[in-house]
Structure formats: structure tokens, C-alpha cells
């Protein structure tokens, strides 16, 4: 293999879900088998890198000031659904069961893996709540130990004497399952079956 090929493969291998074999296969595909596709991919990567960023309010993907959901006047601003990752938000949106807004943490607390509150989009959530206007916080985080620890952290840090109702969505899923792997019907019933949290 050539140095440039190996460099490309090394970068591909760092992407989630790609190991040595799959990164090698993709690099070969791009450089040798279908090189005509490469310029369009490079352009798409450059355009996405320049245009897409985190929504400063909720952490969702955004182009422009706010993401499409935060900018949508018809959404119920008082109900904030807290999710681990953007694909969880997408799954809930697809279920059509939620008309509020979101907050994406980009992870969950995991001291074992060096993920503390500073590594997550948590301070912005607490600032959002402190600023007022949030009536209900719906914790749609995984029902595993780390998800539970994250829920505890959030409730412990809510403004004292505040009026925010905190609920946790009922999963109807095996322990350890998350929002992303639930089908639309399960998600809809999980949201409808949300319970008061602490
Ligand atoms: Zn947003």
C-alpha cells in the first residue's frame, strides 16, 4: 500500500463502526474502484464541515443561528426532552409523539470512561432552565447505570425551589436499551407513559 492510502485508511478507521478491514475496503473503493465518486464526496465533506454546527441552544445539528426545531415557533418551548445523542432526537421526531423542544447532551456521565459533566452539554441545559420558561423536563436517557447517573446529576442541579416538573420516559424495553433502538410505536407509548422522576 502507498503512504497516502494508509493515511486515508487510518482516518477512516477512526470513524465509528469501521475496523481495519472495512476501512481498507472503503479506501480501495474510493481510490481504485470508483475514483470518479471521490471529488463529490470531498465537496460534500467540505460543505458539511463549513455549514453544519451544534445548535447553540439545544446541541442539535444546525445550519444558521438555531436548529430547525428551536427556530420553529409552533414547538412547545416549555417542554424540553433531554436525549443522549442527535440520532435519539431523530428517532423521537420520527415517532411524531413529541411537540416540545430538545436538549442533546452528546453523551452520558461515565466516570469509568472519563466522561464528567464538563464533557457533556450539561451546563447549557442548566442555564436554559435557570433562564426560565421550562415547565417540564423529560429525561429520555438510556435506562442503564450511566443514564441513571446522568438523570440524578440533572435533578440534583436544578434550581432550588424551581417549578420544573421532571419526568422520565417509560421505556417498555429491556434494561440497557435506549431511545435509538426503539420503534416509533414503542417510543410513542414510552413518551405517553413518562413518569415523575424523584
Ligand atoms: Zn436547537
Amino acid at each position: 500500500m502507498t503512504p497516502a492510502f494508509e493515511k486515508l485508511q487510518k482516518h477512516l478507521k477512526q470513524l465509528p463502526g469501521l475496523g481495519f478491514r472495512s476501512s481498507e475496503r472503503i479506501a480501495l473503493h474510493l481510490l481504485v474502484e470508483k475514483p470518479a465518486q471521490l471529488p463529490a464526496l470531498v465537496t460534500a465533506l467540505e460543505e458539511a464541515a463549513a455549514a453544519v454546527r451544534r445548535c447553540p441552544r439545544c446541541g442539535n445539528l444546525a445550519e444558521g443561528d438555531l436548529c430547525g426545531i428551536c427556530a420553529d415557533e409552533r414547538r412547545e418551548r416549555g417542554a424540553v426532552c433531554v436525549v443522549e445523542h442527535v440520532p435519539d432526537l431523530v428517532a423521537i421526531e420520527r415517532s411524531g409523539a413529541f411537540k416540545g423542544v430538545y436538549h442533546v447532551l452528546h453523551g452520558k456521565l461515565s466516570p469509568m470512561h472519563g466522561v464528567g459533566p464538563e464533557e457533556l452539554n450539561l451546563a447549557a441545559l442548566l442555564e436554559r432552565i435557570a433562564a426560565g420558561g421550562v415547565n417540564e423536563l423529560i429525561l429520555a436517557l438510556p435506562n442503564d447505570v450511566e443514564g441513571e447517573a446522568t438523570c440524578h446529576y440533572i435533578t440534583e442541579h436544578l434550581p432550588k425551589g424551581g417549578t420544573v416538573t421532571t419526568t422520565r420516559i417509560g421505556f417498555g424495553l429491556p434494561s440497557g436499551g435506549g431511545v435509538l433502538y426503539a420503534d416509533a410505536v414503542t417510543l410513542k407509548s414510552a413518551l405517553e407513559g413518562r413518569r415523575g422522576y424523584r
Side-chain angles (χ1 to χ4, degrees), residues 54-62 65-71 89 101-102 104 128:
R54 277 189 193 187
C55 172
R57 186 180 293 168
C58 77
N60 185 19
L61 298 186
D65 287 343
L66 294 170
C67 74
I69 294 170
C70 285
L89 177 160
V101 291
Y102 294 88
V104 186
R128 236 176 129 177

